[in-house]
């Protein structure tokens, strides 16, 4: 039993057994040589991946991002802070979720990576995945 270095929550890592909850998370960004390899809690790991995805979104085209997300399209589990956030009791899907889906639904979603409607305001300070 240890503690998450980000938030201090208690956590238990069972990666050595070959089965840890974190192995359910998508392996979508490489770990840098300077990265702290300490175990993180579920929420902090999702936030860290989300932050790294924000950088990836600025580097690759939408088609390349869709190819990156495609292997995770059939994942049965949605991950809070990675696939969605909760706002006022509603799920708000992230750009990562939409990329896994692979196509635009046409509903003008806030984090749609397939383009923005000119009628919708774009919040540059939005802390969640925003490719568009």
């Amino acid at each position: 039993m240890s503690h998450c270095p980000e938030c201090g929550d208690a956590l238990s890592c069972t990666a050595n057994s070959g089965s840890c909850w974190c192995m359910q998370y998508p392996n979508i960004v490489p770990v840098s040589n300077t990265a702290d390899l300490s175990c993180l809690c579920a929420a902090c790991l999702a936030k860290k991946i989300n932050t790294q995805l924000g950088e990836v979104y600025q580097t690759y085209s939408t088609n390349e991002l869709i190819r990156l997300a495609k292997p995770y399209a059939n994942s049965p589990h949605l991950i809070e802070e990675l696939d969605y956030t909760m706002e006022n009791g509603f799920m708000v899907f992230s750009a990562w979720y939409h990329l896994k889906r692979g196509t635009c639904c046409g509903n003008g979603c806030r984090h749609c990576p397939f383009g923005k409607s000119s009628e919708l305001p774009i919040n540059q300070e939005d802390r969640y995945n925003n490719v568009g």
Side-chain angles (χ1 to χ4, degrees):
M1 185 71 91
S2 64
H3 292 83
C4 175
E6 298 287 323
C7 69
D9 282 356
L11 58 94
S12 178
C13 180
T14 58
N16 290 338
S17 71
S19 175
C20 186
W21 63 267
C22 68
M23 293 177 183
Q24 297 174 18
Y25 280 50
N27 184 13
I28 50 180
V29 291
V31 177
S32 70
N33 293 335
T34 60
D36 180 5
L37 298 178
S38 299
C39 288
L40 299 173
C41 70
C44 289
L45 179 59
K47 287 177 185 177
K48 187 170 192 160
I49 292 171
N50 207 359
T51 299
Q52 291 176 326
L53 276 172
E55 296 169 12
V56 170
Y57 295 153
Q58 303 309 312
T59 307
Y60 297 97
S61 71
T62 303
N63 285 338
E64 291 169 324
L65 294 170
I66 292 169
R67 281 194 294 277
L68 176 69
K70 188 175 182 176
Y72 306 99
N74 295 322
S75 175
H77 304 288
L78 295 180
I79 301 170
E80 188 169 1
E81 300 292 340
L82 183 59
D83 291 310
Y84 70 95
T85 56
M86 295 301 295
E87 291 182 20
N88 301 319
F90 294 98
M91 292 174 79
V92 178
F93 293 114
S94 68
W96 176 246
Y97 171 84
H98 292 292
L99 288 166
K100 288 188 333 183
R101 185 173 173 201
T103 60
C104 179
C105 64
N107 290 325
C109 299
R110 183 188 316 170
H111 304 297
C112 181
F114 304 104
K116 296 282 186 188
S117 167
S118 59
E119 301 167 8
L120 300 174
I122 298 174
N123 181 354
Q124 299 298 333
E125 298 300 316
D126 197 339
R127 65 186 179 111
Y128 298 104
N129 298 337
N130 188 352
V131 176

